[in-house]
Amino acid sequence: MTASFAVSRNPFNGEIIRQTPFASTAEVETVLNQTDGAFQAWRSSAVEDRSELLLSIAAGLRQRKRELAEMMTAEMGKPITQSVAEVEKCARLCEWYAQQGPGMLAPEPTLVENNKATVNYLPLGPILAVMPWNFPVWQVLRGAVPIFMAGNSYLLKPAPNVIGSALLLQEILSGAGVPKGLFGVVNADNDAVATMINDRRIAAVTLTGSVRAGAAIASLAGAAVKKSVLELGGADAFIVLADADIDAAVKGAISGRFMNSGQICIAAKRIIVEESVFAEFRDKFVAAVREMVVGDPAEEATFIGPMARSDLRDELDTQVQATLAEGAECLLGGHVMAGEGNFYAPTVLSNVKPGMTSFRQELFGPVASLIVAQDAAHAVRMANDSEFGLGGSLWSKDLDKARKMAAQIVTGGMFINSPSFSDPRVPIGGVKHSGFGRELSHFGIREFTNAQTVWVES
C-alpha cells in the first residue's frame, strides 16, 4: 500500500474539499470481514424485509436530498438541478425494486413436464463495485439496490474525486437501517482492488469506467474465476432521418449530448443526420447550443458546469484539436474557457467523417460531432462503424422503419424519438468494447444470483 491520498477538489473554484488516505491492508481486511459478515446474515432475510429496507432507503434519500445533491455538485461540478434530480431518481429506483423485486426472485417454472423442475434465484455473495465519478449516487445505487434485493452485500470502491459523496451516501443508508457492512465503502488503490478481487470473500465484481479499466478488472476476475459485469465507454450514434421532427430532434440532441456537461457514457456523441435535412438541423442545433447557460453549477439556471477534473478537460481539448487538424470544422466553441474552473466551451464540430478522432474515440465532455449521412442505410453503416456498442438514438416519424433500423444497429439499447436514458424497468449495458452484462430490470437483479435448478421426482 502507498501512503498517498485521494483528493476531492471542487472543479468550479479549485478548492480542496477533502483528502482521504487510501485504505491500509488492515483496513481492507476489516471491510472485507464486515461485508462478508453482513452477507451471511442478509442472505437468509425474507424478500418482504428487503423490500421494506428499500422503501426506508428511498425515504432517507428524500429527507437529505438537497444535502447529497450539493455534495455531488461540489465534488464533480454537476449542475445542482441535475444533482437533485439524480437523488430523486434513486429514490424512485428503490421504490420500483421494492415492488417488483420479490416477483423477479420467485422460483421460476421451466419447460420440464409435470412441473418437476424450477429455477431458484439465490444470493451469490459480497459484490465489489468499482464505480466512476459522473453519477456518484445513481451509478452506485442502480447496482446496489438490486444487489441488496437479491440478498447480497455491496462493497463500493468509489472514484477518488467523489469520496465525499460515497461517504455521505453510506451515512444516509446507515440512517435508513442498512445493516453495517451491507453497504461498505473502501478508498482502495489499484493494488487493494486486485487483492479484494482475489479474496475468497468477494463473489463477483462490477465496474463502470473506461475500456482500459474494464479490461484490467475483467482480467483479474477471470483469473480468479469470478463473474464480472462491465459498463464501459460509448460513442453513441444519434441518427436523424429526413422525415424526423427536426425541432424535437434538436431538443433531444441538446439533452442527449450536453446533460451532465456531456459526461455520460450513453450521451449522443456522434450526431448523424441525413443530407437533405442536415443544414436545417445544424443551424437550429447551433442556435440552441448558444442559448445554454454555462457557469456556477450551484446556480439553479446553470445547464453546463465545469468538467469534473482539469486533466479530463485537457484531454478533451486534445481530441478536439486533433479532429480539427484532420479536417473537421468548428462551428462553435472548440477551446478551454478562460478563468477559474475546469470549463470547456460547449462545442459543435461539423464535417466530421469516419476515421477522425471524434468519430473513433469517446469524447467525454460538452462536444457534439455532426456527421452527414447520404441516406438511412449509410447512417446505419456509420453508426456500426465503431468499437463501441452501448446505446443509440434514432429519429423518424415512420416508426415501423425506425424499429427495423434499430434492430440493425449493434448496441445494447436503441431509443426511437428520444435521447438515450436509463430506467429501472429496462436493462442497460453494452456490446463490443462497451462491455458485457446488464444492470437494471430483471436482467440486472439476476446478474448476481445463483440460478439454481431444482428437479423433483415424485
Side-chain angles (χ1 to χ4, degrees), residues 29-43 124-127 153-155 180-182 199-203:
E29 177 64 20
T30 296
V31 78
L32 285 170
N33 275 330
Q34 289 175 344
T35 196
D36 183 55
F39 165 68
Q40 299 303 334
W42 187 247
R43 67 187 302 178
L124 198 60
I127 311 301
S153 57
Y154 181 97
L155 178 55
K180 184 176 182 179
L182 196 67
D199 191 278
R200 61 171 180 78
R201 288 162 289 191
I202 293 297

Side-chain angles (χ1 to χ4, degrees), residues 95-115:
E95 291 166 342
W96 188 82
Y97 267 112
Q99 180 181 23
Q100 302 296 332
M104 296 173 182
L105 297 169
E108 190 172 68
T110 68
L111 297 178
V112 177
E113 66 279 359
N114 300 322
N115 297 318

Side-chain angles (χ1 to χ4, degrees), residues 78-101:
K78 188 189 302 288
I80 187 63
T81 56
Q82 297 174 32
S83 292
V84 170
E86 181 174 333
V87 182
E88 177 60 32
K89 184 176 182 178
C90 290
R92 295 197 302 271
L93 167 80
C94 293
E95 291 166 342
W96 188 82
Y97 267 112
Q99 180 181 23
Q100 302 296 332

Side-chain angles (χ1 to χ4, degrees), residues 7-229:
V7 178
S8 171
R9 185 187 300 272
N10 188 312
F12 177 67
N13 57 28
E15 294 179 357
I16 293 177
I17 298 171
R18 66 185 299 144
Q19 296 184 84
T20 308
F22 285 110
S24 66
T25 301
E27 288 168 335
V28 170
E29 177 64 20
T30 296
V31 78
L32 285 170
N33 275 330
Q34 289 175 344
T35 196
D36 183 55
F39 165 68
Q40 299 303 334
W42 187 247
R43 67 187 302 178
S44 59
S45 61
V47 291
E48 294 80 9
D49 292 339
R50 300 174 195 172
S51 291
E52 287 299 317
L53 181 64
L54 297 190
L55 294 176
S56 180
I57 293 172
L61 289 169
R62 289 198 174 99
Q63 184 178 11
R64 300 180 69 177
K65 176 163 50 178
R66 189 73 189 189
E67 180 184 1
L68 186 54
E70 288 174 351
M71 177 63 80
M72 284 192 284
T73 293
E75 285 199 309
M76 55 78 57
K78 188 189 302 288
I80 187 63
T81 56
Q82 297 174 32
S83 292
V84 170
E86 181 174 333
V87 182
E88 177 60 32
K89 184 176 182 178
C90 290
R92 295 197 302 271
L93 167 80
C94 293
E95 291 166 342
W96 188 82
Y97 267 112
Q99 180 181 23
Q100 302 296 332
M104 296 173 182
L105 297 169
E108 190 172 68
T110 68
L111 297 178
V112 177
E113 66 279 359
N114 300 322
N115 297 318
K116 289 193 295 187
T118 57
V119 175
N120 293 335
Y121 293 100
L122 305 178
L124 198 60
I127 311 301
L128 175 63
V130 181
M131 290 291 108
W133 47 263
N134 57 334
F135 287 90
V137 179
W138 170 251
Q139 196 69 58
V140 172
L141 288 182
R142 83 178 193 189
V145 166
I147 282 171
F148 292 161
M149 190 70 224
N152 301 311
S153 57
Y154 181 97
L155 178 55
L156 169 64
K157 196 298 260 190
N161 59 321
V162 292
I163 187 70
S165 297
L167 294 173
L168 179 55
L169 180 59
Q170 184 182 42
E171 180 184 315
I172 292 170
L173 266 58
S174 177
V178 173
K180 184 176 182 179
L182 196 67
F183 180 88
V185 177
V186 58
N187 184 34
D189 62 13
N190 291 341
D191 290 341
V193 169
T195 295
M196 290 187 289
I197 291 174
N198 280 300
D199 191 278
R200 61 171 180 78
R201 288 162 289 191
I202 293 297
V205 59
T206 180
L207 173 138
T208 297
S210 68
V211 174
R212 184 175 65 177
I217 292 295
S219 177
L220 289 166
V225 197
K226 293 180 181 178
K227 182 171 186 174
S228 60
V229 170

Side-chain angles (χ1 to χ4, degrees), residues 119-339:
V119 175
N120 293 335
Y121 293 100
L122 305 178
L124 198 60
I127 311 301
L128 175 63
V130 181
M131 290 291 108
W133 47 263
N134 57 334
F135 287 90
V137 179
W138 170 251
Q139 196 69 58
V140 172
L141 288 182
R142 83 178 193 189
V145 166
I147 282 171
F148 292 161
M149 190 70 224
N152 301 311
S153 57
Y154 181 97
L155 178 55
L156 169 64
K157 196 298 260 190
N161 59 321
V162 292
I163 187 70
S165 297
L167 294 173
L168 179 55
L169 180 59
Q170 184 182 42
E171 180 184 315
I172 292 170
L173 266 58
S174 177
V178 173
K180 184 176 182 179
L182 196 67
F183 180 88
V185 177
V186 58
N187 184 34
D189 62 13
N190 291 341
D191 290 341
V193 169
T195 295
M196 290 187 289
I197 291 174
N198 280 300
D199 191 278
R200 61 171 180 78
R201 288 162 289 191
I202 293 297
V205 59
T206 180
L207 173 138
T208 297
S210 68
V211 174
R212 184 175 65 177
I217 292 295
S219 177
L220 289 166
V225 197
K226 293 180 181 178
K227 182 171 186 174
S228 60
V229 170
L230 308 178
E231 189 209 295
L232 309 179
D236 291 8
F238 184 101
I239 299 172
V240 182
L241 299 184
D243 67 345
D245 181 330
I246 299 301
D247 290 335
V250 167
K251 184 177 179 181
I254 291 294
S255 172
R257 172 64 277 201
F258 293 105
M259 188 70 71
N260 205 36
S261 303
Q263 301 167 122
I264 305 178
C265 295
I266 57 172
K269 299 187 178 79
R270 297 180 298 148
I271 301 177
I272 302 171
V273 185
E274 272 202 86
E275 191 170 18
S276 62
V277 293
F278 181 81
E280 179 187 0
F281 179 91
R282 176 199 62 207
D283 293 347
K284 289 182 175 180
F285 182 72
V286 171
V289 174
R290 289 185 190 276
E291 294 297 315
M292 296 189 307
V293 178
V294 181
D296 184 349
E299 296 291 334
E300 297 285 333
T302 297
F303 186 70
I304 299 285
M307 292 186 63
R309 300 197 316 257
S310 60
D311 62 308
L312 299 173
R313 177 201 59 191
D314 296 343
E315 179 184 351
L316 179 68
D317 188 53
T318 297
Q319 292 172 302
V320 168
Q321 302 313 318
T323 305
L324 295 175
E326 291 158 354
E329 177 186 3
C330 185
L331 303 181
L332 192 67
H335 59 84
V336 173
M337 295 180 69

